[in-house]
Amino acid sequence: MSLSVQELRVYYQTLHGEVRALDGVSFSIADGEIMGLAGESGCGKTTLGYSLVRLSPPRRLVSGRAVLDGEELPLGDPDAMRRFGWKGVSIVPQFAMSALNPRRRIGGMIAELLAARKLRYLELLPELERRLDLVRLPAAVLAMYPFELSGGMRQRMVLVLSTLLNPSLLVADEVTSALDVSIQRAVAQLLAEFRDRGLVKSMLVITHDLAVLYQIADTIAVMYAGKLVEKASADVIIRAPRHPYTRLLISSLPEIGARHARCRLKGIPGQPPSLLNPPLGCRFRARCPAVSDQCGEEPPLREVAAGHQVACWQQPC
Amino acid sequence: MTPSVPGREFLYFAWRNGKLRFGLALVLFFLGVALLGPLLTHYPPLAYLNPLGAEAPSATYWLGTTCFGQDVYTQFVLGLRAAFLVGLLGGGMATLIGMLIGFMAGYRGGLVDEVLNVLTNVVLVIPTFAVLLIAAAYLQVRSVLMECLFIGLTAWPWAARAIRAQTFSLRTRDFVDLARLSGMRPLKIVFTEIAPNMLSYLVMTFILQFGGAILMAATLDFIGLGPTNAQSLGLMMQTAVLWGALPLGAWWWFIPPGLAITAIVGALYVMNVGLDDVFNPRLRERS
Amino acid sequence: MLSLERVSKVYRVGTFGGGQVRAVSELSFALAPGEVVALIGESGSGKSTVGRMVLNLLPVSTGSIRFDGIALSDLRQGDRKDYWRRVQGVFQDPFSAYNPIFKADRIFRTLRAEFFPRVETGDWNRRLDGALQAVGLNPQQVRDKFPHQLSGGQLQRLLIARALLLDVQLLVADEIISMLDASTRVDVLNLLADLKARGMAILFITHDLGLANYLSDRVIVLYRGCMVEAGPAEAVFENPQHPYTRMLVAATPRLDCKWPVSDWTPPVGEGEGLGCVYSARCPLCDGQCNRPPVPIETAAGHRVACWRVADPGH
Ligand SMILES: Nc1ncnc2c1ncn2[C@@H]1O[C@H](COP(=O)(O)OP(=O)(O)OP(=O)(O)O)[C@@H](O)[C@H]1O
Ligand SMILES: Nc1ncnc2c1ncn2[C@@H]1O[C@H](COP(=O)(O)OP(=O)(O)OP(=O)(O)O)[C@@H](O)[C@H]1O
Ligand code: SF4
Ligand SMILES: [Mg+2]
Ligand SMILES: [Mg+2]
């Protein structure tokens, strides 16, 4: 068992009250597992990723714990978490690729980052070059400026950097979103390769792109409005989803070659609830086609089949 | 013209910010002393009052006397007044010119930028003291205001450079393009989109210019190019050192002006750090 | 309505502007009312640069862009505002499109102050709520928040709502759906389709061939600033001619089958080829590819810039 998270609640403090971006999320990722995380925009995916790395204000840990390789992560204590950063849990943030400092050469920037962790650049250089070779980048990129690299090269660079110290868990937030499909495939397969080679024990891959997730993830978890609504193996989520939200989400994916004029895809009517004062009961209630009286009470995440958990009252146990 | 970050929330966070409160209190205290202090003394600042020369603070001479028997308190409060004046006018002017040129060069870019860049560099390398010596030769009576003017006209280049660089990097951000798409005019964009983003930076520039102006004035005073017949903290310190206040142990002579300069500049700096937290909504939530 | 003629853009970079980056070269296309043209290409292929030039935020280096017959370079300050009343855009990176020290909904206030000074508050709020709901946002959830308090997708949809408030004739949509989940994406695409039906022209910039195909009438595939293939969306998608487009279609992740493990090697060459821009990566590259290919028309309106397409051995 690589990572297990229990009842994680993380709120944002604002002047208007607390934004309940994560409200009781539990899951676990096994050794060597790539878990995909999908869900509506604004449902708390990035928040979840960051909570495992650095939980600084305004994010506030309300409750919950996380255990990584048998050791409890001090989630509420950003200073203690530093010790786990990069080696324990490493994150590739959303837009990391465009956030590279344009004025620094790549090598210099890496040296700086390493120095901040009291590590020697020159000692790690051979390993770094080996890794660059693995992602098919020439060692010469270290002497280049970020703008000299294409998007795909930059993204691979960021991946090499964040996995340099062989983290137990890699959180990759939207790493493939800005790339064209061929580079997307290269980067996605690279993620799998990192896992296969044991450079990273397990991964949490956050993306909107279910088609990419389907290709590389072992399991997919779906979030809705701060809660986990379903988790199962990738095949099951894509082919036989159980939760009404997941079903609607999957059905809104365009078929290959779909055109608007011929068949208009349908989204999900309505809007997600406000996370400031989320409604009681199931959070999908207002948009759910299968809603019943029971849904006024909160559905627990229950195991409906081996390795398949759903949080919905309409599911037989 | 710079709009404040929406009113009430801004005040709320400003008030909650300890650094800001501390710095502001200190600056206001000295400002109060500078404004009200001179009303409490009836000694002329340069009169030789105490025949005993240097004497420690007492009920008659609140901050003691110099080795010439002059009242330190009177000199101090008048000097403080002059310091605020020089800082405010000289530093303020340098900041304004720096902003004007920095914003223009940074936002417009191209030819405008290059011309202004040359101007900045020229002013930067002009031997300030030579100009001043020549000016001094022509002007018999020099006022504090002239000193301010001089400092203002010579100290702006580095401010202009720093502001230009900041403007330059902000200009390429998408929100500036969005403002352009909304039909805003360049001047409005500079003042409503770009300047607010570097407000804490502008304030810091002003604070550094403020402190710099005070120190510059002290130097000018020392080499005899300061205002004729006026008081300043710089002058006080220099005379104190020159007439051996240190070996004499006349701490009351040099500590008040030194402490005041350090405390004012320091307090402004603390205030600035506090302002940064308040201006930046991200940092705000940390407190 | 909009036409680009041999538009190129060269950025100056480095100290003293010594270096040059050729972001777009010799691009020509036209856009009619109610038409959607998709610009497709990988990251760095110059898509956003084209978008910015069309929005008149960036001057062209050579060539000309005309809107209703008037060259953008001839517009003066006053005309520009008129132009932006008719042409608006949504930028790619939602995180930098907002001034970080102001509330996100300030973009609407600015818009109102500049374009609708006479609209009454009640009326305006109704319009605003309508626009927010059209992009699937809960007005309560996004109002009165700072940009960093909203997620990427929420920020992006606010920008789309902003463009909707102005009844524009041409919308430049730069990767507006890359940050959205599948269902919201469909909502936004359908919304664009409705606008298109009402006569709005859309320059739809994306790296996703499948989504481009869903919405657009024509697609233009860019590689390193050059058009490599252009034509009716269906034709390009179902019968791609250029090796780059073929590779794009083949690499599209599908839900009906997983990527086979072995048959595909990731693109290795990254540098710009001599002659044909794609030659460094192209599996079909041969001797004649060191000259820039001349676009040829393979079917009605379907143009391809590749030497080997004309080849019988291809
Ligand atoms: N600093 C903050 N203060 C208050 N609310 C916040 C803050 N940051 C995020 N939120 C809110 O928390 C919720 C979750 O945000 P998060 O960024 O985790 O979403 P996400 O699932 O990653 O979305 P996306 O797919 O669009 O990136 C959103 O509704 C957002 O408005
Ligand atoms: N201001 C600039 N100065 C110099 N070079 C630039 C500038 N803006 C863009 N470029 C370069 O121009 C090329 C095209 O950039 P552009 O942003 O148009 O690409 P894009 O297709 O939109 O890519 P993405 O999918 O990453 O947004 C890139 O090589 C980029 O590095
Ligand atoms: S619990 Fe009820 S409202 Fe929620 S998803 Fe299931 S059926 Fe729908
Ligand atoms: Mg996110
Ligand atoms: Mg772009």
Side-chain angles (χ1 to χ4, degrees), chain A residues 12-14 19 21 39-48 58 94 173-174 208 275, chain B residues 285, chain C residues 141 145 148-154 179:
Chain A
Y12 286 96
Q13 290 167 298
T14 71
V19 175
E40 193 142 37
S41 150
C43 68
K45 302 183 296 294
T46 301
T47 309
L48 176 59
Q94 213 165 351
D173 196 353
E174 305 279 5
H208 291 305
L275 295 176
Chain B
E285 284 149 351
Chain C
Q141 185 153 10
K145 291 228 179 152
H148 71 268
Q149 297 176 329
L150 295 167
S151 79
Q154 289 168 326
M179 304 276 299

Side-chain angles (χ1 to χ4, degrees), chain A residues 16 41 94 151 156 177 179-182 185 208 214-215 239 252-253 258-260 262 264-265 267 273, chain C residues 42 141 144 153 179 181 186 190 193-194 207 213-214 216 234 244 247-248 254-255 257-259 264 270:
Chain A
H16 310 284
S41 150
Q94 213 165 351
R156 276 181 275 165
S177 311
L179 307 171
D180 80 16
V181 283
S182 67
R185 181 167 174 182
H208 291 305
Y214 175 66
Q215 303 295 332
R239 306 219 186 288
S252 61
L253 291 170
R259 281 182 62 78
H260 161 73
R262 258 190 260 127
R264 194 182 166 103
L265 290 167
Chain C
E42 64 167 340
Q141 185 153 10
D144 215 26
M179 304 276 299
D181 61 283
V186 167
N190 285 340
D194 294 342
H207 59 261
N213 183 36
Y214 178 67
S216 38
E234 264 173 304
Y244 177 61
M247 191 271 301
L248 283 185
R254 305 167 71 107
L255 284 174
C257 57
K258 293 215 177 186
W259 284 325
W264 189 81
E270 291 279 357

Side-chain angles (χ1 to χ4, degrees), chain A residues 129 132-133 135-142 144 153 157, chain C residues 270:
Chain A
E129 282 172 352
L132 285 177
D133 194 45
V135 302
R136 296 164 203 94
L137 284 176
V141 291
L142 293 176
M144 292 195 208
M153 291 167 86
M157 190 66 234
Chain C
E270 291 279 357

Side-chain angles (χ1 to χ4, degrees), chain B residues 89-105:
Chain B
L89 288 182
M93 198 158 93
T95 313
L96 272 182
I97 300 178
M99 268 169 64
L100 204 72
I101 295 194
F103 280 140
M104 261 211 308

Side-chain angles (χ1 to χ4, degrees), chain C residues 44 47-49 92 174-175 205:
Chain C
K47 305 182 296 293
S48 301
T49 306
Q92 169 174 24
D174 193 351
E175 304 261 14
I205 298 174

Side-chain angles (χ1 to χ4, degrees), chain B residues 18-217:
Chain B
K19 290 177 208 139
L20 193 60
R21 272 197 310 210
F22 170 78
L24 195 65
L26 211 59
V27 172
L28 284 181
F29 168 73
F30 279 106
L31 191 65
V33 172
L35 291 177
L36 303 176
L39 306 177
L40 300 177
T41 173
H42 50 269
Y43 303 123
L46 296 173
Y48 305 125
L49 302 163
N50 190 351
L52 295 175
E55 199 182 50
S58 65
T60 345
Y61 306 110
W62 293 345
L63 287 181
T65 50
T66 70
C67 64
F68 310 110
Q70 296 155 320
D71 183 36
V72 173
Y73 173 78
T74 311
Q75 288 193 346
F76 175 67
V77 289
L78 288 176
L80 206 56
R81 222 181 227 196
F84 269 102
L85 198 69
V86 170
L88 226 53
L89 288 182
M93 198 158 93
T95 313
L96 272 182
I97 300 178
M99 268 169 64
L100 204 72
I101 295 194
F103 280 140
M104 261 211 308
Y107 187 75
R108 274 286 145 94
L111 192 66
V112 179
D113 181 28
E114 268 161 39
V115 171
L116 289 177
N117 213 359
V118 169
L119 180 70
T120 311
N121 287 338
V122 167
V123 176
L124 205 59
V125 298
I126 283 182
T128 325
F129 282 111
V131 176
L132 199 64
L133 281 171
I134 298 167
Y138 283 97
L139 301 165
Q140 297 308 309
V141 183
R142 297 181 296 273
S143 66
V144 179
L145 283 181
M146 279 193 39
E147 193 175 50
C148 296
L149 194 69
F150 177 77
I151 292 174
L153 286 180
T154 52
W156 59 265
W158 71 258
R161 283 198 162 179
I163 290 171
R164 173 186 168 274
Q166 285 266 323
T167 312
F168 207 71
S169 79
L170 283 172
R171 191 190 63 160
T172 57
R173 303 272 288 277
D174 281 351
F175 65 78
V176 172
D177 281 335
L178 201 68
R180 286 173 64 197
L181 278 187
S182 304
M184 277 205 212
R185 290 178 170 275
L187 203 65
K188 196 166 171 195
I189 293 180
V190 167
F191 283 110
T192 62
E193 300 283 340
I194 293 181
N197 255 291
M198 31 194 290
L199 214 49
S200 70
Y201 194 78
L202 294 176
V203 173
M204 183 173 75
T205 309
F206 174 65
I207 285 170
L208 293 179
Q209 290 283 11
F210 188 100
I214 292 179
L215 296 180
M216 178 75 181

